[in-house]
Amino acid sequence: MKEYFCIELKFKDKKISSKTFHAHLFVTDEEMYIQIIDNEVGSQIDRKFMVSKGSHGLFENNFEITGTEIALFLDKSRIYKTQSFQSDVQNTYFTIYVSKIALVFPNKHKEFINEGKAFLNKNGLKTVNSFYSFFTNLKDKNDFSISRMNGMKDFYDAKEISFRPELEFTNNEKRGSEQFTVKKIPTINYKFADLDFAQAKRSLEIICSFLSFCFGIRIIFEKLTYRTEEQIFIYRDTSPNNKTFVSDFSTVFYHLEKNCRIEKILKTDWYANYLTKEKQFDKAIDNYLHSREVDLTASFLLLFNIIEIFNIKQQIEKFVFKQSKEDNFKKAFELISSSLEQKEDLDLLKDKWNGLINKIEIKPLKSPLEETLKSNSINPLDFGYSFKKLKKTRDKLTHGSVNSINEKDLKSQIFCLRQITLRLILANLGLKSDLKNAT
């Protein structure tokens, strides 16, 4: 049985080669790689490619696919490993390993139209498990069953897509065997109306980002199916870092009064609010999760940056002056300049004068970051530290004065910042009125 798909490709860097090469694409759930065939004796295209600029960058920046026996969707697929020339019975080839590809097949049987399934990583299993009760076959040990928790049978709406975390089951049953084991697979089942593959994929990325925030662990999909009446997309992400994430829960629900459980918060308008500040939420949630994976200094800076991400950026206000403002500024310049003894100082004053006037005209600004917290009903003192103290620590760490901060104190400030930033993200997701009183 054939194990690969045939493709034709070219190097975009013509210094490596201008020829078109035949290649074989191998795809499994664990890895995806392309064997580029070159049977020319003494060929060094593998070495030329490896030392070329950006060889471990995006596939589309390095190669152009000119022909393929199956439709492909390359989604910023990164080349994360390269293997030099090897030979089998027929060919000599070198191998590149890629991270993100969707294979596109015709939907011959017209089944499961406008539906799909996202297969999650191991952290996803911890999350999806929370939608289910313990095994319910307590009376009859020969009956295997598992049921959902009360209130968790609904599909949740995210604009053009509806979804539900779901467990699938596989087993290793063989004919004639007395026993078999069951394996749980975490998924998100979804339905959609007028979304193309890229839009559906992005919606699921946002859903995974939100679930990651709610549980404090990185949840991603490693495989995705998408079906229309005409096509079936099967997408895989085999990036090698997918299995290296922190997996201890740190939930946000204790900050909320009404929406204090996952099935409740999923019924709020979180998705619509996420879309209004999509890039900010992507970055803020990534910072929050990343802060759990790094040392204390980096953790503090990542969390503080979340406040900066949602900075309200006040408009600059100026004092209102009478019409005689210019005359008074001129008199002030003459008065100050008359007290200077050296001509060099007078010339320097002239150069700076307009800048000084502009600064004088501006009203004193309140800290925009502090005002950002106030506008979201967050008082840092409720969690142990003033904003002034937190900013002072931020400034020290930014300028490399790490040794001047006590480690125990830094840990306490990080705890404080974590509570502040969780509430800030929740407030921006439309849950400000639902935040519990911190005191």
Side-chain angles (χ1 to χ4, degrees), residues 274-403:
Y274 196 116
L275 292 182
T276 63
K277 301 176 182 177
E278 198 170 324
K279 290 183 179 179
Q280 289 99 315
F281 281 119
D282 284 349
K283 178 63 176 169
I285 292 173
D286 182 65
N287 273 17
Y288 167 66
L289 297 171
H290 197 187
S291 74
R292 304 190 68 210
E293 303 163 342
V294 293
D295 63 27
L296 295 178
T297 299
S299 180
F300 184 98
L301 294 174
L302 284 164
L303 290 168
F304 195 94
N305 181 240
I306 294 173
I307 304 174
E308 296 170 320
I309 288 169
F310 293 107
N311 187 355
I312 59 174
K313 296 178 181 177
Q314 293 171 284
Q315 291 184 342
I316 295 176
E317 295 183 25
K318 293 187 176 184
F319 292 110
V320 178
F321 288 92
K322 295 179 180 178
Q323 290 183 347
S324 58
K325 177 188 73 169
E326 299 300 333
D327 292 336
N328 288 329
F329 281 155
K330 186 177 180 181
K331 289 176 183 178
F333 175 76
E334 291 172 353
L335 182 63
I336 295 171
S337 61
S338 66
S339 64
L340 297 175
E341 294 184 356
Q342 298 183 22
K343 184 178 182 303
E344 293 83 356
D345 291 342
L346 178 60
D347 293 337
L348 187 59
L349 178 63
K350 285 180 180 179
D351 292 338
K352 289 188 173 183
W353 186 248
N354 287 334
L356 291 171
I357 291 174
N358 290 334
K359 290 180 181 177
I360 290 170
E361 288 183 316
I362 296 172
K363 285 184 177 181
L365 281 173
K366 296 177 182 178
S367 165
L369 297 182
E370 198 165 6
E371 290 301 303
T372 297
L373 297 180
K374 285 182 181 178
S375 69
N376 286 284
S377 305
I378 298 170
N379 182 3
L381 281 172
D382 290 342
F383 306 102
Y385 293 90
S386 68
F387 180 78
K388 184 177 179 181
K389 173 66 175 176
L390 295 171
K391 186 178 182 301
K392 187 176 180 180
T393 299
R394 191 282 305 266
D395 293 342
K396 285 183 177 180
L397 295 176
T398 301
H399 293 100
S401 303
V402 180
N403 295 333

Side-chain angles (χ1 to χ4, degrees), residues 51-192:
V51 300
S52 65
K53 185 177 180 181
S55 60
H56 277 192
L58 297 180
F59 176 87
E60 60 197 38
N61 291 342
N62 286 281
F63 295 96
E64 175 190 356
I65 293 180
T66 59
T68 175
E69 70 172 291
I70 187 170
L72 299 175
F73 181 93
L74 290 155
D75 177 52
K76 295 182 180 178
S77 186
R78 186 166 294 278
I79 301 169
Y80 63 86
K81 186 169 71 172
T82 308
Q83 200 167 31
S84 295
F85 273 130
Q86 296 172 288
S87 296
D88 57 22
V89 176
Q90 293 179 312
N91 297 303
T92 299
Y93 55 86
F94 78 97
T95 309
I96 58 170
Y97 290 78
V98 291
S99 59
K100 300 175 183 180
I101 295 179
L103 306 178
V104 187
F105 301 92
N107 190 355
K108 294 179 181 179
H109 303 293
K110 310 296 181 185
E111 293 179 329
F112 307 109
I113 295 169
N114 290 359
E115 294 184 14
K117 195 183 297 286
F119 296 82
L120 307 178
N121 63 341
K122 288 185 177 180
N123 279 348
L125 179 60
K126 292 171 65 72
T127 302
V128 178
N129 272 340
S130 65
F131 284 76
Y132 287 80
S133 60
F134 293 106
F135 289 114
T136 51
N137 56 332
L138 301 177
K139 294 181 180 179
D140 185 352
K141 295 299 180 182
N142 292 316
D143 178 31
F144 170 82
S145 64
I146 183 171
S147 60
R148 285 182 167 272
M149 299 279 258
N150 290 335
M152 294 192 176
K153 295 181 179 180
D154 297 334
F155 275 81
Y156 305 98
D157 291 326
K159 284 210 166 181
E160 296 90 352
I161 198 170
S162 60
F163 69 96
R164 183 170 72 180
E166 197 89 58
L167 285 177
E168 282 207 346
F169 301 94
T170 62
N171 65 73
N172 66 343
E173 196 275 335
K174 295 179 180 178
R175 181 180 296 180
S177 63
E178 293 183 1
Q179 295 180 338
F180 69 96
T181 57
V182 176
K183 183 178 180 180
K184 294 187 289 185
I185 301 172
T187 71
I188 294 176
N189 279 346
Y190 68 96
K191 303 174 183 178
F192 58 93

Side-chain angles (χ1 to χ4, degrees), residues 391-433:
K391 186 178 182 301
K392 187 176 180 180
T393 299
R394 191 282 305 266
D395 293 342
K396 285 183 177 180
L397 295 176
T398 301
H399 293 100
S401 303
V402 180
N403 295 333
S404 64
I405 304 171
N406 178 274
E407 182 177 319
K408 185 177 179 181
D409 186 42
L410 183 58
K411 286 181 178 178
S412 296
Q413 290 189 49
I414 288 173
F415 175 80
C416 171
L417 263 181
R418 200 176 299 283
Q419 309 312 302
I420 290 169
T421 52
L422 284 176
R423 294 172 77 89
L424 182 58
I425 294 172
L426 286 167
N428 278 273
L429 284 167
L431 296 159
K432 183 166 103 173
S433 62

